[in-house]
Amino acid sequence: DAEITQSPRHKITETGRQVTLACHQTWNHNNMFWYRQDLGHGLRLIHYSYGVQDTNKGEVSDGYSVSRSNTEDLPLTLESAASSQTSVYFCASSESGGRALNEQFFGPGTRLTVL
Amino acid sequence: KQEVTQIPAALSVPEGENLVLNCSFTDSAIYNLQWFRQDPGKGLTSLLLIQSSQREQTSGRLNASLDKSSGRSTLYIAASQPGDSATYLCALGSSTLGRLYFGRGTQLTVWP
């Protein structure tokens, strides 16, 4: 069955370190998204991609970057981790058709703690 | 900017009750609306997707409606069960930017 996976599931790191969270989907979806979920804020969009070599900033993109070198993967990098980036991170994917937004499927999440 | 509000924030009901979860939004220019379920410590599971041209969708005991003119969607759960206990999130797909805007969710507890 097609799925979307994230790794690691839990990560503890120190302030200032670079961290990369992996997202891999086997749906063959063109659209991929990264969100963070925090108490009091709900889910907020960090970055998204509509296809290979395409990346776009979401509403909370500062301190994060993504790259899309193939259809299946969209890794999220925290350039210099900060305590404010302690959160649960979700990756999602969806089909596309003229960049139409269809049903999004979510990964299990990565819980990141920055000390 | 699209704002999505879900009321109530929490709901506790006895098993067997029919219940309604509400979602309101400020911008009626939406592409679609999606309802999700999230169990504690888990990811989001898609329940229903309503396209902007549709008024409702049904899946089993779940029925979701969409009224763009009033900026509202409701999720109706019939004959609730303890296994329905979870947080329910609504999310709007923007017709302009292709992103989802999420509400903060309704935390549902169904007790036996």
Side-chain angles (χ1 to χ4, degrees), chain A residues 1 3-4 7 11-13 25 42-43 46-47 51 54 56 63 72 76 80 90 98 103 110 112 115:
Chain A
D1 287 345
E3 60 178 354
I4 181 166
S7 62
K11 174 76 175 179
I12 300 174
T13 191
Q25 53 98 2
L43 278 116
I46 305 171
H47 281 287
D54 177 74
N56 305 278
E72 296 80 17
L76 177 71
S80 177
F90 288 101
E103 186 174 12
T110 293
L112 177 67
L115 301 176

Side-chain angles (χ1 to χ4, degrees), chain A residues 37 40 50 100-101 103-104, chain B residues 31-32 34 38 46 93 97 104:
Chain A
Q37 186 176 35
Y50 288 137
L101 179 62
E103 186 174 12
Q104 288 196 13
Chain B
Y31 187 81
N32 57 25
Q34 198 166 350
Q38 184 175 28
S46 179
L97 297 175
R104 296 185 182 183

Side-chain angles (χ1 to χ4, degrees), chain B residues 61-81:
Chain B
R61 294 182 294 108
L62 305 179
N63 175 275
S65 67
L66 174 63
D67 184 345
K68 289 198 303 178
S69 62
S70 66
R72 293 179 59 189
S73 175
T74 60
L75 179 66
Y76 176 82
I77 303 177
S80 59
Q81 303 171 356

Side-chain angles (χ1 to χ4, degrees), chain A residues 9 33 35 37 40-45 48 50 57-59 90 97 99-109 111, chain B residues 1 31-32 34 36 38 41-49 51 89 92-94 96-104:
Chain A
R9 295 293 314 279
F33 308 84
Y35 298 88
Q37 186 176 35
H41 288 282
L43 278 116
R44 293 178 291 174
L45 183 64
Y48 56 104
Y50 288 137
K57 294 181 179 180
E59 58 185 308
F90 288 101
R99 299 195 172 182
L101 179 62
N102 290 312
E103 186 174 12
Q104 288 196 13
F105 297 90
F106 278 73
R111 183 174 296 276
Chain B
K1 177 187 172 184
Y31 187 81
N32 57 25
Q34 198 166 350
F36 293 90
Q38 184 175 28
K42 304 290 186 181
L44 280 68
T45 300
S46 179
L47 297 173
L48 291 164
L49 173 69
Q51 302 293 349
L89 298 158
L92 271 68
S94 167
T96 56
L97 297 175
R99 64 178 67 172
L100 283 180
Y101 290 92
F102 280 85
R104 296 185 182 183

